[in-house]
Amino acid sequence: MNFLEAQRLVSTFQGGEPLAFLFALSGTAEPFALYVRAAAARRGRAADVRFLPFNTLAQALRRDADPTVTEVFLLMPWDFAPEADWRSGVPESVDQETLEARAAETASLLARRAQACLLYLPAPLPPLFPDPSRGAAFARSLESLALGLGARLLPADAFALGGYLSSGCPVGGTWIGRVAEAVVDAAAAPRAEPKKVLVTDLDNVLWSGLIAEEGPEGIAGEPSGRGYRHFVYQSLLRRLRREGTVLAAVSRNDPDVVVAPFRSGRLLLREDDFVAIIASYHAKSAQIGELAQRLNLSLDSFVFVDDNPVEVAEVSLALPGVRCVTFPHHDDELVAFLDELASLFPHRVITAEDRERTDMYRRRLDGMIANDLQGADLTRFLQDLKMTLTIHDRSRGDRTRAVQLINKTNQFNLNGRRVTDEEVCAILDGGGRLLSATLADRTGSHGEVLACLVTADNTITSFVMSCRVFQRRVEYAFVSWLAAQPNPPAGLEWASTPRNTPFQQFLHEVAGPLNGAGFVPLDVTSVVDRHARDVGLFALRQA
Amino acid sequence: MARLQRGEASLTAVSRVLATLATDEHADSVAAFFRAAWGENLTAEVVLAGWRKAAAENGAAPGEVPPTAIVLEGSRVIGYCGSIPHRLWDGVAEHPAYWVKGLMVLPEYRRGPIGFLVGKELATQLTRTTALVVAPAARRLFSALGYTDLGAVTNFVRPLRLASLARRLDAAELGLGLPRWLTAGVRVAQRAGVARLAGGVVGLALDVAAGARGRAPSWLTTACAVDLPSRDELDELWHDARGAMAASPVRDGMYLRWRYGADAAEGGAAENRYSFITARDGQRLVGVAALLRPKAMSDPRLRGAHVATISDIVFAPGHTDVGLAVLAGVERVARSAGADAVLCTTSHRALARLLSRRSYLPLPGNVHFFLRDVSASARWPRDLASWWLARGDSAADEVF
Amino acid sequence: MTDAAESRLQEIVRATLELPPDADVTEARQLGVESWDSLAHVSLMLAIEGEFGVSIDLADQIQLTSYAAIRRYLQGGALP
């Protein structure tokens, strides 16, 4: 944007939403006035810019920031190292330690202004040192300081020494328009408030594996093998916690199951690094909502991490203010994931209060009980997944995987009974059926996720489903399909176990109130009617 | 001039025109500038001696030479801007400050970037600066350099011999900011030959009014002297007066004796044109004014008329009686010195009221008061009526 | 200097010296234009730098005291 274009933009501007901010630079700011107004006008905004008086940046940094004022700083190398100011000439001698200490002090003053937008112009420095390579290294260190503060780097070509010496404005004529655009961009950018709470899932997020299925010895969270990705994630959480981020965990699990890994000492994080570890089979959104209330924090300050897109969708829909981030399934997605997560919790200055925040909040959450409120309606989300449920009759052929599922699944398990292959074989020879289901959706195949053993008298004696596919209504669709077949099951052999609360919830919904262990009859007509919608979520196939 | 490539740094590419602060090595060039710009016959030795003396007397930063910005073309000074250290009172505390004084550019370089450069160079160095500025171009410049224009300080004129004034003056030439109707009216009266008569009548009326509305109390004694009272007495007076002032240059004993005392006179032993009018309540000093007596050879614009100037006046603003007594004393001294009028430039509401009671005529001022304070350690009033300014500030009293 | 560039230069001079849009600036000189003071001169130099992508040395700025001088100066350098 050149002078005449800027003039025209300003003179023809009809007015717009005000954009008020302080433009702070140590040099002469007035040449920017027209261009800043023009850049704002181009965005339909009426710039209301205040400039710092010439050469007063250092004093301004030592005054407390006004939280109601948007500040945009255009920083030069000599704002960190005054000895490097061209206007003072080449200094007779410099002490590098003093230079670096002064630069660090300025950086810490800038860091305190968490809401300020920083632009850095890496202008060349006068020859400060006898060895030019030291000068180049020092210039790079100043640039790193600025980048560390989150400054946006401007092109070095924007600096004009002649103009700086004559008028005090460090930006040359052709660049003033472009720098003004950058300034207005910074001033107009929405303020990203740092988040305060990170709520993490546990299975396949904090560690690899399912704790309820594989036990503490079966999960992996150490720096080796499949656990490495999760170890790195734990290390980030450990750093964030030290910087004052509040950690919490929510997991579809039993409470005593999920704490075992923390007590084993095999994880980087301990139980007391979390203000709460909420294990329940109710909607995660309900747990997060309750947590926010107990902590008296706005949901806008929450971040939720889960590997399961359905859980992520549920929380997103129920709690739109919560920022949801999906844990990567592959190591090569880890860098972007960690960058995104870290950027949500920028901490320029860490105080003693930050470090003690977790303990303070833990005291507030003493006695918190899991919330049993319903979560979000995920119908639309699940429809968009384009799921295909393929039912397999494993009565003949390879039943290995199905039997394995029955024997290793704990949570979604009808009665916790383990079966030998001989026992299965005997049931099948007697006229029973072994069914399984594989699930696929637009993201890929989830493999064999469900197994169901039905005796000859149409009693379901084993019914398991992988907890990886919780929340997708797979179990409802399957039982509804089963109920609609010729010769439907009459009922289920139910028994409560320490781990099968999820199945209990399902059974309660499908068959009504339970009266202890034993045979639970199934009203197939009612099941088919009530869960027709669940069937509609899938393309049902029979293999 | 070549733009620098990243990683390159070369001062040899810098322009031969350079703004900088004057140091001892520039004394010769500065002396040459003074000769060219003001016709003052200075040498490098005189310049250096002046800087040493200013450093010794620097009340804002003791021992430091007050900064002087210059613009050099090669080794020649083509632009200059000096400073005079002082202190400012903000109603609570005193703060070091500088008057910007003597902004000047050689004629052949005027209207170019030099004035801006030299003013900016000085602004860079100083945290708190004040200036009294007349010319519109200079006012624009100071505003652009980050100074706040608090407005024009009012000129109050008390004609003592209005008949004589009316006959002589080209009112427009005076540079007092007189309204056009007045200057035109005076010109008409002068041409008609009635100015002297009309002036006499009006002058009598003013004297009667001053006597009626601005009578000085009899229980205060006023006196005139060629020396200021002692520093201790002046300190006590200032301490008493400043409590009711929201903002003012500091006018304590150290300042007043430095500014108007015998050693402040040009050339040291040369004539000191100041008379000092004091008001006492018993033995206690309660008011003082520094009156600049008219020159023997008056300014050509005055055409033989003599104007005395109240360069400074100090009394507690709430003590109306004291103010009236001092002003009455000023007029007596001015008359005896042969003055045709007394000029008082002020903005403070309390003093303005008293001047009005003593029949001073307010005239629109053209001297603007500028303030630049980047320290944020003081809060300055934005209304000029809260400021206790005086004509002698920034050595601006040498009008006539 | 092309007609377009000259037109831009004249527009800049009018804008920075606060002259009417139809003012003939081809004869404008510092001493002859009341609004051409020190501050206006600095603004004019900055505007020319910004419009034409040139950097005007301080020593040259002092010499550019008329429209004609500015025009000659710009003609001497490369213009877009």
Side-chain angles (χ1 to χ4, degrees):
Chain A
M1 177 177 25
N2 56 23
F3 174 80
L4 290 175
E5 191 185 340
Q7 278 276 91
R8 272 192 282 279
L9 277 166
V10 169
S11 61
T12 57
F13 183 51
Q14 301 290 327
E17 189 195 337
L19 179 63
F21 64 99
L22 170 71
F23 181 29
L25 72 157
S26 51
T28 302
E30 282 71 23
F32 283 97
L34 171 69
Y35 297 91
V36 165
R37 283 167 50 213
R42 195 178 255 169
R43 286 159 181 73
R45 307 286 297 270
D48 175 13
V49 191
R50 193 165 62 84
F51 298 102
L52 280 186
F54 182 75
N55 208 36
T56 61
L57 184 80
Q59 293 98 313
L61 282 182
R62 281 155 179 83
R63 292 195 287 273
D64 289 337
D66 182 345
T68 64
V69 173
T70 301
E71 297 178 324
V72 179
F73 285 80
L74 174 55
L75 299 166
M76 310 298 298
W78 36 89
D79 292 327
F80 292 93
E83 291 84 346
D85 193 341
W86 285 99
R87 293 176 66 94
S88 310
V90 179
E92 213 170 322
S93 70
V94 294
D95 174 55
Q96 187 157 0
E97 262 188 49
T98 307
L99 285 183
E100 285 164 358
R102 230 200 294 279
E105 190 200 343
T106 301
S108 74
L109 289 171
L110 285 162
R112 276 190 216 139
R113 303 178 105 84
Q115 296 301 312
C117 311
L118 308 180
L119 306 170
Y120 182 71
L121 207 178
L125 307 186
L128 298 173
F129 305 100
D131 179 3
S133 64
R134 277 175 67 197
F138 183 64
R140 271 197 295 279
S141 76
L142 294 181
E143 196 174 307
S144 297
L145 260 183
L147 288 171
L149 291 165
R152 177 181 155 187
L153 217 55
L154 296 175
D157 286 346
F159 174 68
L161 180 60
Y164 180 59
L165 291 177
S166 63
S167 71
C169 181
V171 177
T174 45
W175 279 92
I176 282 189
R178 280 180 267 188
V179 173
E181 300 269 8
V183 167
V184 168
D185 276 346
R191 295 283 150 266
E193 290 284 337
K195 304 295 183 184
K196 294 183 180 145
V197 185
L198 193 156
V199 181
T200 181
D201 181 31
L202 295 174
D203 285 332
N204 285 319
V205 176
L206 206 67
W207 54 68
S208 169
L210 305 166
I211 183 65
E213 309 301 330
E214 297 165 62
E217 300 309 318
I219 62 168
E222 296 103 339
S224 68
R226 66 185 173 107
Y228 227 130
R229 184 160 78 248
H230 307 273
F231 163 80
V232 174
Y233 174 63
Q234 289 172 38
S235 63
L236 174 63
L237 262 55
R238 182 180 59 173
R239 194 202 85 195
L240 292 179
R241 181 252 192 265
R242 200 183 67 80
E243 291 169 354
T245 298
V246 174
L247 301 181
V250 285
S251 179
R252 285 187 188 271
N253 257 303
D254 295 296
D256 56 324
V257 167
V258 296
V259 295
F262 296 102
R263 294 173 185 167
S264 71
R266 288 166 55 215
L267 300 180
L268 273 185
L269 294 164
R270 299 186 315 263
E271 212 176 325
D272 61 8
D273 286 321
F274 293 81
V275 298
I277 299 175
I278 307 168
S280 90
Y281 293 104
H282 298 292
K284 290 188 179 178
S285 62
Q287 312 318 320
I288 296 172
E290 173 77 11
L291 194 61
Q293 264 199 330
R294 295 286 290 252
L295 293 175
N296 196 23
L297 292 171
S298 143
L299 285 165
D300 289 346
S301 63
F302 277 66
V303 175
F304 171 61
V305 179
D306 202 304
D307 70 311
N308 187 335
V310 180
E311 299 283 18
V312 169
E314 191 273 312
V315 171
S316 289
L317 286 167
L319 305 172
V322 174
R323 173 72 174 264
C324 295
V325 185
T326 306
F327 190 85
H329 291 104
H330 305 286
D331 287 346
D332 52 11
E333 295 163 351
L334 189 63
V335 171
F337 164 74
L338 293 175
D339 276 349
E340 184 185 351
L341 206 59
S343 72
L344 295 169
F345 297 94
H347 288 104
R348 283 192 185 157
V349 175
I350 299 153
T351 63
E353 192 194 316
D354 290 327
R355 292 196 194 94
E356 289 155 18
R357 187 161 290 127
T358 297
D359 294 330
M360 184 181 78
Y361 280 128
R362 277 173 70 90
R363 289 192 286 276
R364 273 200 209 170
L365 293 174
D366 264 346
M368 179 174 162
I369 302 169
N371 192 309
D372 61 357
L373 283 178
Q374 293 299 309
D377 180 359
L378 292 168
T379 307
R380 181 66 180 271
F381 175 79
L382 293 174
Q383 282 168 344
D384 289 345
L385 281 178
K386 306 262 185 283
M387 295 183 286
T388 301
L389 192 65
T390 305
I391 316 289
H392 304 267
D393 188 341
R394 300 294 185 198
S395 306
R396 304 280 176 264
D398 186 7
R399 56 177 177 261
T400 315
R401 170 64 185 158
V403 173
Q404 211 175 47
L405 259 178
I406 292 171
N407 286 328
K408 71 174 252 203
T409 304
N410 294 316
Q411 292 173 294
F412 196 89
N413 189 316
L414 171 62
N415 46 36
R417 283 185 209 143
R418 304 309 188 199
V419 295
T420 63
D421 192 63
E422 290 72 29
E423 284 164 345
V424 172
C425 195
I427 291 171
L428 295 176
D429 288 343
R433 290 169 286 168
L434 177 61
L435 302 167
S436 75
T438 53
L439 179 70
D441 62 28
R442 56 180 171 77
T443 67
S445 169
H446 297 273
E448 199 144 341
V449 296
L450 182 151
C452 181
L453 183 61
V454 186
T455 60
D457 63 354
N458 284 329
T459 299
I460 298 175
T461 190
S462 288
F463 186 172
V464 299
M465 186 180 75
S466 170
C467 56
R468 286 188 287 113
V469 297
F470 277 171
Q471 294 272 71
R472 290 171 181 255
R473 311 295 289 180
V474 170
E475 61 277 34
Y476 296 95
F478 175 80
V479 82
S480 183
W481 171 85
L482 191 60
Q485 299 307 302
N487 203 16
L492 308 94
E493 275 293 337
W494 154 253
S496 169
T497 75
R499 298 282 172 264
N500 71 351
T501 306
F503 197 98
Q504 185 177 352
Q505 289 174 339
F506 158 74
L507 196 55
H508 180 88
E509 201 177 327
V510 159
L514 303 172
N515 292 315
F519 182 79
V520 175
L522 208 58
D523 180 347
V524 294
T525 311
S526 168
V527 168
V528 169
D529 281 344
R530 289 214 318 273
H531 297 288
R533 210 165 71 138
D534 295 312
V535 171
L537 292 172
F538 299 87
L540 267 176
R541 296 206 181 110
Q542 264 181 275
Chain B
M1 192 210 84
R3 284 184 198 267
L4 289 181
Q5 300 301 312
R6 189 188 170 122
E8 258 183 60
S10 171
L11 280 181
T12 58
V14 168
S15 171
R16 61 191 165 80
V17 177
L18 183 71
T20 187
L21 284 187
T23 61
D24 286 359
E25 68 184 53
H26 300 117
D28 205 28
S29 306
V30 168
F33 177 86
F34 269 68
R35 291 195 294 272
W38 286 296
E40 293 187 29
N41 197 10
L42 292 187
T43 62
E45 290 71 28
V46 171
V47 168
L48 285 170
W51 286 345
R52 298 282 172 273
K53 184 168 183 286
E57 294 169 351
N58 187 341
E64 285 186 21
V65 176
T68 297
I70 54 176
V71 176
L72 293 162
E73 187 180 32
S75 61
R76 184 181 177 222
V77 173
I78 61 173
Y80 171 100
C81 191
S83 65
I84 302 175
H86 70 119
R87 285 160 293 142
L88 281 176
W89 165 255
D90 69 354
V92 175
E94 296 181 2
H95 305 273
Y98 287 84
W99 287 105
V100 174
K101 184 74 181 171
L103 173 60
M104 176 61 80
V105 176
L106 289 182
E108 60 269 37
Y109 296 98
R110 284 181 194 158
R111 293 178 161 240
I114 305 305
F116 181 80
L117 272 181
V118 76
K120 174 168 280 297
E121 185 64 26
L122 195 64
T124 311
Q125 302 300 326
L126 299 173
T127 307
R128 193 175 299 106
T129 34
T130 51
L132 292 169
V133 186
V134 174
R139 294 199 326 244
R140 275 192 358 120
L141 192 59
F142 274 84
S143 293
L145 291 172
Y147 290 77
T148 303
D149 182 357
L150 294 185
V153 193
T154 309
N155 290 316
F156 291 83
V157 174
R158 173 65 163 97
L160 300 176
R161 298 191 183 100
L162 192 51
S164 171
L165 277 177
R167 187 170 53 83
R168 295 171 202 259
L169 291 180
D170 183 337
E173 259 192 22
L174 286 175
L176 290 175
L178 297 173
R180 226 171 263 167
W181 62 265
L182 180 58
T183 59
V186 169
R187 213 173 281 133
V188 166
Q190 286 169 332
R191 284 203 208 102
V194 300
R196 189 186 172 92
L197 176 62
V201 169
V202 173
L204 181 61
L206 289 175
D207 289 343
V208 167
R213 293 168 52 230
R215 183 185 299 280
S218 55
W219 48 270
L220 291 170
T221 52
T222 56
C224 176
V226 295
D227 286 325
L228 274 166
S230 71
R231 185 166 159 172
D232 285 346
E233 280 192 296
L234 292 169
D235 279 349
E236 202 184 317
L237 171 62
W238 165 245
H239 199 267
D240 196 34
R242 71 180 190 182
M245 294 178 187
S248 171
V250 169
R251 303 177 193 285
D252 61 4
M254 182 170 81
Y255 167 73
L256 290 173
R257 292 187 67 82
W258 166 80
R259 174 71 178 82
Y260 303 108
D263 52 353
E266 278 182 323
E271 181 206 10
N272 185 347
R273 284 172 53 211
Y274 292 103
S275 296
F276 303 102
I277 295 90
T278 56
R280 290 183 184 278
D281 181 0
Q283 295 295 312
R284 198 163 69 91
L285 181 70
V286 293
V288 70
L291 181 71
L292 185 66
R293 297 189 301 274
K295 279 184 186 160
M297 292 295 294
S298 71
D299 188 290
R301 291 174 293 174
L302 294 173
R303 299 195 185 169
H306 293 82
V307 177
T309 305
I310 300 177
S311 295
D312 220 312
I313 183 167
V314 183
F315 64 91
H319 296 178
T320 311
D321 289 347
V322 174
L324 290 172
V326 173
L327 290 173
V330 160
E331 286 151 42
R332 278 197 299 278
V333 173
R335 269 185 226 273
S336 67
D340 297 309
V342 179
L343 171 69
C344 182
T345 306
T346 187
S347 54
H348 200 279
R349 57 179 69 83
L351 183 55
R353 276 196 292 271
L354 296 184
L355 291 168
S356 176
R357 285 171 65 173
R358 291 295 309 173
S359 295
Y360 281 73
L361 306 172
L363 305 171
N366 59 352
V367 178
H368 286 242
F369 177 61
F370 282 80
L371 171 71
R372 181 177 184 270
D373 185 350
V374 299
S375 69
S377 60
R379 294 239 176 266
W380 302 107
R382 305 290 284 212
D383 62 312
L384 209 52
S386 296
W387 282 82
W388 192 276
L389 299 173
R391 192 81 201 194
D393 294 338
S394 183
D397 53 348
E398 275 287 351
V399 174
F400 303 119
Chain C
M1 179 182 274
T2 64
D3 286 348
E6 176 130 35
S7 172
R8 282 154 62 195
L9 176 61
Q10 291 181 12
E11 208 179 325
I12 287 171
V13 171
R14 286 186 206 104
T16 52
L17 300 184
E18 295 172 0
L19 298 172
D22 56 352
D24 179 7
V25 296
T26 53
E27 302 295 324
R29 292 162 56 247
Q30 246 178 14
L31 291 174
V33 177
E34 197 177 331
S35 57
W36 196 333
D37 59 16
S38 177
L39 195 58
H41 188 85
V42 172
S43 303
L44 177 57
M45 293 298 108
L46 280 171
I48 291 170
E49 286 184 337
E51 183 68 26
F52 294 104
V54 297
S55 178
I56 308 176
D57 184 73
L58 199 46
D60 294 335
Q61 287 190 27
I62 294 170
Q63 311 301 325
L64 299 178
T65 56
S66 67
Y67 174 85
I70 296 170
R71 190 177 181 284
R72 268 195 310 275
Y73 176 85
L74 289 175
Q75 272 186 313
L79 281 177

